[in-house]
């Protein structure tokens, strides 16, 4: 496996989620197995312990009647019964010297040399006896007799250990199958879960490579977090595309509208330089240049305002304003322009005041643009009338009429 492939797998989100899914699943299996194993083991140990304690009560009663002889007779009786004798029985004194020893029938083929190493311990202890083809495990429990001697009773727990071992093997086999299934299911689930993210990544990569903002992320109309993210991302792309379109239109508009005033400005400057006239002519040419520059600046500001309005990014600083007073003040500014043109400019207000929430500078600009056009395209001797009146209870109308 190459290094690049390893690095690619390390960055694979689906693989990471799948591995986490498998780890969590396997941890759950471990917990469930541990609980089941502990419950089964405790249940079997409890059953064996109860059986040993019952056997101790029976042997203890026989030992008190006639000490060793009665106990030996009881053991001999059990040995000749239908079932084989399966218990290890030993009585030892405080020096761990064997006073009585009876071995299970199964021990005849086993190496019993380990018996000499059995210690006097109140806790259950396990001993393992081996033959050529068999291994037996005994759990030995030590009880204290009334006379100070010790009675040790052992039982073969090989079947119990084999059952627990089989349980462990079954768990390992099931776990291997479960891990494989978890890998497949986990990968399918995570592959499906991160599919929208892959679409999002591919769309962004396409935009980066081609600068084509018309690309959109496929949307499944889901209402989850990823679905909402994709919907918002597509909305953002639409906004960006709209802004770019407005910017292109604005640039085209600027290039078209500025060509004439800039050409005129250059012509004035060239004529002034080539004519070699007096200082007054140069001053007049500079005045014309300044006038054209002001016209260009106003045009640029207007185009910028139009672009911002189209893009939806125009910022308005609204405040409570007496709209009648604002219109009247704006009309007063254009009285001089109207007089120079020979146009009669008048203002009529049917309402005394009307307080509205508007951007004052933008409002003056709007009314000024309309008045400027009305005066500019009205012949000398004509008139321009500005009226402010109410329409209904919540509307104020500003009307500009020219001849």
């Amino acid at each position: 496996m190459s290094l690049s492939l390893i690095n690619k797998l390390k960055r694979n989100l689906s693989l990471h989620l799948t591995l986490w899914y498998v780890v969590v699943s396997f941890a759950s299996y471990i917990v469930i197995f541990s609980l089941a194993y502990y419950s089964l083991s405790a249940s079997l140990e409890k059953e064996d312990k109860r059986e040993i304690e019952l056997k101790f009560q029976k042997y203890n009663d026989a030992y008190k009647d006639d000490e060793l002889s009665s106990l030996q007779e009881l053991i001999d009786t059990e040995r000749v019964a239908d079932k084989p004798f399966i218990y290890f029985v030993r009585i030892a004194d405080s020096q761990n010297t064997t006073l009585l020893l009876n071995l299970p029938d199964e021990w005849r083929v086993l190496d019993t040399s380990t018996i000499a190493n059995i210690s006097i311990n109140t806790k259950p202890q396990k001993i393992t006896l081996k033959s050529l083809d068999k291994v037996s495990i005994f759990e030995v429990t030590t009880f204290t007799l009334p006379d100070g001697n010790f009675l040790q009773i052992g039982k073969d727990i090989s079947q119990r250990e084999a059952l627990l071992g089989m349980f462990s093997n079954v768990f390992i086999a099931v776990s291997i199958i479960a891990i494989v299934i978890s890998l497949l299911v986990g990968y399918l689930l995570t592959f499906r879960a991160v599919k929208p993210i892959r679409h999002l990544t591919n769309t962004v990569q396409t935009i980066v490579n081609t600068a084509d903002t018309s690309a959109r992320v496929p949307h499944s109309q889901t209402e989850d977090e990823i679905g909402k993210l994709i919907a918002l991302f597509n909305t953002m792309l639409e906004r960006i595309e709209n802004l770019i379109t407005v910017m292109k239109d604005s640039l085209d508009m600027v290039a078209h509208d500025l060509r004439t005033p800039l050409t005129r400005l250059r012509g004035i400057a060239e004529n002034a330089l080539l004519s070699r006239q007096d200082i007054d002519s140069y001053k007049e040419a500079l005045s014309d240049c300044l006038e054209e520059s002001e016209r260009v600046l106003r045009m640029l500001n207007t185009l910028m305002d139009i672009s911002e309005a189209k893009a939806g990014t125009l910022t308005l600083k609204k405040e409570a304003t007496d709209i009648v007073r604002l219109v009247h003040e704006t009309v007063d500014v254009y009285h001089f322009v109207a007089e120079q043109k020979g146009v009669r400019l008048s203002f009529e207000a049917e309402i005394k005041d009307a307080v509205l929430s508007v951007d004052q500078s933008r409002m003056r600009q709007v009314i000024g643009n309309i008045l400027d056009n009305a005066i500019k395209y009205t012949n000398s001797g004509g008139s321009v009338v500005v009226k402010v009146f109410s329409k209904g209870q919540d509307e104020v109308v500003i009307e500009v009429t020219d001849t």
Side-chain angles (χ1 to χ4, degrees):
M1 185 178 294
S2 64
L3 185 60
S4 60
L5 180 59
I6 294 176
N7 292 331
K8 186 176 180 180
L9 291 176
K10 287 181 179 179
R11 296 190 299 267
N12 192 304
L13 180 60
S14 297
L15 180 60
H16 290 175
L17 292 177
T18 301
L19 292 178
W20 275 110
Y21 180 80
V22 172
V23 169
V24 171
S25 299
F26 187 69
S28 301
Y29 300 150
I30 291 291
V31 172
I32 294 173
F33 166 75
S34 300
L35 293 176
Y37 185 90
Y38 175 79
S39 178
L40 177 62
S41 178
S43 177
L44 294 175
E45 288 180 7
K46 184 177 180 181
E47 183 64 25
D48 288 342
K49 182 178 180 181
R50 188 180 66 84
E51 188 176 340
I52 292 293
E53 288 177 348
L54 290 175
K55 185 65 66 175
F56 167 71
Q57 294 294 337
K58 188 175 182 181
Y59 289 167
N60 187 41
D61 293 339
Y63 180 79
K64 286 190 294 186
D65 290 341
D66 192 15
E67 296 186 348
L68 296 177
S69 58
S70 297
L71 179 57
Q72 185 65 58
E73 290 178 4
L74 177 59
I75 294 173
D76 292 339
T77 302
E78 290 178 346
R79 188 182 295 277
V80 297
D82 295 335
K83 295 181 180 180
F85 187 71
I86 60 173
Y87 293 98
F88 160 75
V89 182
R90 176 175 179 258
I91 294 180
D93 57 17
S94 58
Q95 304 299 321
N96 200 19
T97 302
T98 301
L99 304 179
L100 183 145
L101 178 63
N102 281 274
L103 304 178
D105 296 338
E106 296 181 353
W107 288 23
R108 296 172 182 173
V109 295
L110 300 178
D111 181 8
T112 58
S113 59
T114 312
I115 298 175
N117 298 324
I118 298 177
S119 60
I120 302 299
N121 194 336
T122 56
K123 294 182 179 180
Q125 51 187 316
K126 294 180 181 179
I127 59 174
T128 301
L129 302 178
K130 301 179 181 179
S131 67
L132 295 177
D133 58 351
K134 184 177 182 181
V135 176
S136 295
I137 303 175
F138 280 78
E139 188 175 65
V140 178
T141 305
T142 302
F143 301 93
T144 303
L145 295 171
D147 59 359
N149 292 333
F150 298 95
L151 171 61
Q152 293 180 316
I153 303 174
K155 182 185 177 183
D156 191 349
I157 59 171
S158 300
Q159 290 185 351
R160 187 178 84 190
E161 297 293 329
L163 178 61
L164 293 175
M166 185 182 301
F167 185 81
S168 300
N169 294 334
V170 170
F171 166 75
I172 293 174
V174 171
S175 296
I176 294 175
I177 297 174
I179 289 175
V180 174
I181 295 175
S182 298
L183 279 171
L184 295 176
V185 174
Y187 186 78
L188 291 176
L189 291 177
T190 54
F191 183 85
R192 182 176 180 180
V194 301
K195 186 177 181 180
I197 299 178
R198 286 196 300 274
H199 289 323
L200 180 62
T201 304
N202 293 336
T203 301
V204 174
Q205 190 65 50
T206 299
I207 294 174
V208 170
N209 293 337
T210 64
D212 180 14
T213 56
S214 63
R216 296 293 182 271
V217 183
H219 189 24
S220 60
Q221 304 298 328
T222 56
E223 296 298 329
D224 56 10
E225 289 80 359
I226 296 180
K228 292 179 180 178
L229 173 63
I230 290 176
L232 290 173
F233 184 79
N234 286 335
T235 303
M236 181 186 68
L237 287 179
E238 291 175 3
R239 293 266 183 99
I240 294 173
E241 186 179 15
N242 183 46
L243 285 172
I244 293 175
T245 302
V246 170
M247 289 174 61
K248 288 181 179 178
D249 294 342
S250 299
L251 289 174
D252 293 340
M253 193 183 304
V254 168
H256 178 269
D257 292 347
L258 291 183
R259 186 176 292 113
T260 299
L262 288 176
T263 301
R264 190 161 50 244
L265 181 64
R266 181 175 180 177
I268 294 172
E270 287 179 347
N271 289 332
L273 290 174
L274 293 175
S275 62
R276 296 183 179 181
Q277 298 177 8
D278 56 15
I279 191 67
D280 291 334
S281 299
Y282 288 138
K283 287 183 178 180
E284 184 179 354
L286 286 175
S287 178
D288 292 340
C289 288
L290 287 175
E291 186 177 343
E292 291 296 332
S293 299
E294 288 292 333
R295 186 177 291 110
V296 170
L297 185 59
R298 286 198 302 271
M299 187 179 297
L300 282 174
N301 290 332
T302 301
L303 290 175
M304 291 300 296
D305 291 342
I306 293 173
S307 299
E308 289 182 2
K310 286 184 177 180
T313 60
L314 185 65
T315 303
L316 298 178
K317 298 179 181 179
K318 293 184 177 182
E319 54 184 322
T321 304
D322 185 350
I323 197 68
V324 178
R325 180 181 57 81
L326 185 143
V327 175
H328 195 190
E329 292 174 353
T330 307
V331 171
D332 286 342
V333 172
Y334 282 86
H335 270 300
F336 179 74
V337 178
E339 287 178 2
Q340 283 189 327
K341 183 72 183 292
V343 175
R344 187 175 68 257
L345 177 62
S346 60
F347 172 72
E348 300 176 6
E350 296 182 3
I351 53 178
K352 291 184 177 180
D353 54 31
V355 178
L356 303 177
S357 178
V358 298
D359 186 320
Q360 291 189 19
S361 62
R362 296 292 186 185
M363 204 67 192
R364 291 179 193 276
Q365 184 180 7
V366 170
I367 299 170
N369 287 340
I370 297 175
L371 279 174
D372 186 65
N373 284 333
I375 295 171
K376 181 178 180 180
Y377 294 104
T378 298
N379 294 328
S380 178
S383 64
V384 175
V385 180
V386 180
K387 294 182 180 180
V388 179
F389 57 91
S390 62
K391 184 178 181 180
Q393 295 181 349
D394 56 354
E395 261 188 64
V396 173
V397 178
I398 304 171
E399 182 180 85
V400 180
T401 307
D402 61 46
T403 55

